[in-house]
Amino acid sequence: MTEIDGIEWRVSPGLTPYDEALATMEARAEAVLAGEARELIWLLEHPPIYTAGTSASSGDLIDARFPVVATGRGGKYTYHGPGQRIVYLVLDLGKRGRDVRCFVHGVEGWVIAALAELGVTAFRAEGRVGIWTRDGGAEAKIGAIGVRVRRWITLHGLAVNVAPDLSHFNGIVPCGLPDFAVTSLADLGRDDRLATFDDALALSAPAFLRSLSCPA
């Protein structure tokens, strides 16, 4: 267990069941709100699961080959599984500018900066959620963002495809975007060790945290 700028930086080995992670995150958010715990950046992996955000459409669930769980984050359907780095963010925006749009923009920028450390050019795409790159010349999604903010405490966070089984995405329309593929660091021929990506996230984290207090 370490920290970055006073925030607990936790990396959980193995696979953490989704329901257990959700309960832990919710409890931590309550503790942060009450001033009883530090903020948390939590890196983990889940067993294969599909999660449905608050704007999920039933037509985007093609093949429920894995458990399907409705969750309180924003967004549509997404897949989580081994080889994908999940990052849950329990941060207090009450002391970081109280700007949800700034927060989401900052999370996107953080992932883009971390991927750049690994030689991957990633970008935002107007009108499309998530983090995008090019795979064989075509735009493909490499990272998903789905957050919730409750009483200015953030929950949920982001997922980046490091080396998951990309065929597992075939059971859904990822994020409701049927015309775009998903990709991963492994698929792009980059270093696909979770620890390497974690190091890139840690290196980029201080700038991300500074970015959350957007100017008015």
Side-chain angles (χ1 to χ4, degrees), residues 100-181:
V100 176
R101 182 174 296 181
C102 177
F103 170 64
V104 173
H105 192 269
V107 173
E108 292 170 338
W110 183 27
V111 177
I112 290 168
L115 290 171
E117 292 291 330
L118 304 181
V120 174
T121 300
F123 49 88
R124 303 174 180 90
E126 185 68 29
R128 284 184 263 134
V129 296
I131 305 301
W132 299 81
T133 188
R134 292 194 176 274
D135 187 351
E139 291 186 14
K141 191 170 188 176
I142 193 168
I145 294 172
V147 300
R148 181 179 183 184
V149 179
R150 187 173 62 208
R151 290 178 288 180
W152 295 113
I153 306 298
T154 69
L155 299 112
H156 301 278
L158 62 101
V160 176
N161 299 329
V162 177
D165 184 339
L166 294 180
S167 71
H168 289 179
F169 284 89
N170 295 340
I172 57 171
V173 177
C175 299
L177 298 170
D179 298 327
F180 296 93

Side-chain angles (χ1 to χ4, degrees), residues 5 12 18 26 29 31 41 51 55 57 63 69 86 94 99 112 116 124 162 169 181 187 209 212 215:
D5 289 358
S12 292
Y18 186 81
E26 292 274 359
I41 298 176
T51 67
S55 58
S57 170
D63 176 13
V69 177
I86 305 294
D99 189 328
I112 290 168
R124 303 174 180 90
V162 177
F169 284 89
D187 210 46
L209 294 167
L212 298 185

Side-chain angles (χ1 to χ4, degrees), residues 85-106:
R85 177 50 86 208
I86 305 294
V87 183
Y88 287 137
L89 302 169
V90 183
L91 301 177
D92 184 358
L93 295 188
K95 61 183 183 183
R96 299 180 186 279
R98 297 195 176 199
D99 189 328
V100 176
R101 182 174 296 181
C102 177
F103 170 64
V104 173
H105 192 269

